[in-house]
Amino acid sequence: MESLDPSNLVPSVTYWDEIRDMMFAFGDSIRPKRETAEILEELVLEQMREILFRAQEVAERRTNSQIGLEELLFLQRRQPVKIQRLLKYLSVRDTAATFQALSGDNVSAECKRVKKCKDFLRRIDTDGSLIKAASEELQDEVRMERLRRMDRLSRDLDERKYAEFSRARQVSFLGAKMNKNMTRFHDWLLSDTQTWFHMTVDKVALEIFAYFAYETVGHLVEMALIVRKEAEHTWDPVLKIMGPKAVNPQFPMVQLKQAGDLNKGKALPEASTPANGEGDNSPLRQRLKSGGGSNEPENMIQGALEPDHVREAYRRLNQRPSLFAWFRQVDARHQTAESRTPILVL
């Protein structure tokens, strides 16, 4: 019998179409490339696995057998602005759950999440920054810049294109039918983790993992757009021969293509066929069927992001420069901590 090449095997659960919709919502072309979405999914899954591993360590210290809301908040404690962003997301989800369950008696369980978050943050706060985050007193420049960019993207769209852009912004890893898609996301997150993961993840933590995955896609796409913009312009020749200020030797440099070579002789990508067979109603497939992409504003007809752009964006986001890092003597424990994969949302 002919042996199968593992590199050609399609995973049982993928989010290629959903990630392509997210890329469009974050500013990529109206028809993102499938190979770029595949690279993004691999990087996002790697980030989620690292968060899962660290959350398991925190749960073990607390003698818990389940990863919940408090373990993830503890991992994010050094980023008050990102905690504030997470609390806003949970508040919106709680409000939606309240309206959906007005006729029943199961409202209180969903609406206590934000209160539980604030109570836990008050217990672990040492300098007052987490209390400010719980009170939404911090300035979130990243979120405001993202909203301004999306406003610029949608300003020149006609009615039909704006409807497609709005549908793409609503796409997430859990979708509108959260209870139905929770199992799919659980299988995607915990696939191939049987050798080292021996806990369970509760429903609230799974929802936060889906939020983390969405934010990671946003971080990577936004940086990849900057990389593409730099590759399309001719900069100062002196700057080209200057070395970078910070280098991560564990991640290689990526050679970017010139702007004129990005779309030469390349056909527009087709939508992938998802494993669960729900791709016909996705915003991406609706755009492909309607022939979208002919009358977009200039910021949407530049060429779609290439895998090289995403790899270079990931390399830049992984750079963690430190003063005298090359000369500092560290013990084995510090080396282990430094060699870990940096988490974009923590």
Side-chain angles (χ1 to χ4, degrees):
M1 185 177 64
E2 183 180 359
S3 60
L4 297 177
D5 185 4
S7 60
N8 296 329
L9 296 178
V10 178
S12 58
V13 180
T14 62
Y15 282 93
W16 297 335
D17 283 349
E18 288 83 353
I19 290 178
R20 292 172 72 182
D21 286 322
M22 296 175 197
M23 293 169 64
F24 171 50
F26 281 114
D28 192 12
S29 169
I30 196 170
R31 296 186 180 183
K33 295 180 177 295
R34 171 173 167 173
E35 53 267 26
T36 308
E38 293 177 4
I39 294 295
L40 269 174
E41 185 187 43
E42 292 178 6
L43 297 177
V44 171
L45 187 57
E46 177 186 347
Q47 293 273 296
M48 295 305 104
R49 297 274 177 78
E50 183 65 24
I51 297 177
L52 191 66
F53 181 79
R54 298 186 187 184
Q56 180 176 238
E57 291 182 338
V58 175
E60 288 175 349
R61 296 193 194 105
R62 303 181 66 201
T63 65
N64 290 342
S65 60
Q66 187 180 52
I67 294 177
L69 175 64
E70 295 181 349
E71 283 77 15
L72 298 179
L73 284 176
F74 182 79
L75 290 177
Q76 212 176 22
R77 67 192 183 279
R78 294 189 177 91
Q79 299 291 341
V81 175
K82 295 181 180 180
I83 286 182
Q84 177 178 281
R85 207 177 303 163
L86 173 61
L87 293 180
K88 287 184 178 180
Y89 168 80
L90 291 177
S91 177
V92 172
R93 300 296 300 190
D94 287 349
T95 303
T98 301
F99 282 108
Q100 291 176 0
L102 281 177
S103 58
D105 298 329
N106 56 346
V107 180
S108 58
E110 290 291 336
C111 296
K112 289 182 178 179
R113 296 185 299 184
V114 175
K115 183 178 182 301
K116 184 178 179 181
C117 289
K118 293 181 179 180
D119 292 341
F120 179 74
L121 292 176
R122 291 189 182 97
R123 293 202 307 268
I124 66 174
D125 192 14
T126 58
D127 57 357
S129 60
L130 297 182
I131 295 179
K132 291 182 180 179
S135 304
E136 299 186 2
E137 300 177 1
L138 302 178
Q139 183 69 21
D140 192 350
E141 283 295 336
V142 175
R143 180 174 178 271
M144 295 305 299
E145 178 59 29
R146 180 179 296 176
L147 293 176
R148 285 192 291 265
R149 187 179 65 258
M150 289 184 176
D151 178 68
R152 291 193 298 268
L153 287 173
S154 60
R155 191 171 298 171
D156 298 329
L157 297 177
D158 56 23
E159 183 177 354
R160 183 173 65 88
K161 297 299 180 184
Y162 181 80
E164 296 173 356
F165 181 69
S166 178
R167 284 194 296 269
R169 287 189 61 183
Q170 299 174 22
V171 173
S172 66
F173 283 87
L174 292 180
K177 300 179 180 179
M178 183 180 301
N179 294 330
K180 179 180 179 181
N181 296 325
M182 192 74 74
T183 303
R184 181 190 175 200
F185 181 77
H186 178 273
D187 296 340
W188 176 78
L189 177 65
L190 299 182
S191 60
D192 301 328
T193 61
Q194 296 83 2
T195 57
W196 55 269
F197 186 72
H198 49 81
M199 290 187 177
T200 58
V201 184
D202 65 17
K203 183 178 178 180
V204 178
L206 274 178
E207 186 176 351
I208 296 178
F209 269 108
Y211 166 80
F212 284 165
Y214 182 84
E215 285 290 306
T216 303
V217 173
H219 283 299
L220 290 171
V221 172
E222 289 165 355
M223 180 57 73
L225 292 173
I226 296 176
V227 172
R228 183 182 68 179
K229 183 177 180 180
E230 293 179 357
E232 290 174 350
H233 291 77
T234 303
W235 300 98
D236 188 344
V238 177
L239 296 179
K240 291 184 178 181
I241 62 175
M242 292 178 62
K245 295 181 180 179
V247 177
N248 183 359
Q250 298 180 355
F251 202 89
M253 290 289 292
V254 178
Q255 297 296 328
L256 298 177
K257 299 179 181 179
Q258 296 297 325
D261 300 333
L262 291 178
N263 297 317
K264 285 185 178 180
K266 293 186 178 181
L268 291 173
E270 298 295 334
S272 59
T273 303
N276 61 351
E278 297 180 353
D280 293 336
N281 297 325
S282 66
L284 174 64
R285 289 181 174 271
Q286 292 178 9
R287 294 198 304 273
L288 294 177
K289 290 180 180 179
S290 63
S294 57
N295 298 317
E296 291 80 10
E298 183 179 357
N299 52 14
M300 288 189 181
I301 60 176
Q302 292 178 353
L305 287 176
E306 296 283 339
D308 290 343
H309 295 144
V310 176
R311 294 190 184 98
E312 173 64 13
Y314 189 67
R315 185 193 68 82
R316 294 187 184 185
L317 291 171
N318 275 345
Q319 290 178 349
R320 298 292 176 91
S322 178
L323 186 63
F324 303 121
W326 292 100
F327 308 102
R328 187 175 56 228
Q329 298 294 330
V330 292
D331 56 5
R333 180 179 178 182
H334 186 75
Q335 285 183 340
T336 303
E338 288 293 330
S339 62
R340 283 186 169 185
T341 302
I343 304 299
L344 304 182
V345 295
L346 298 184

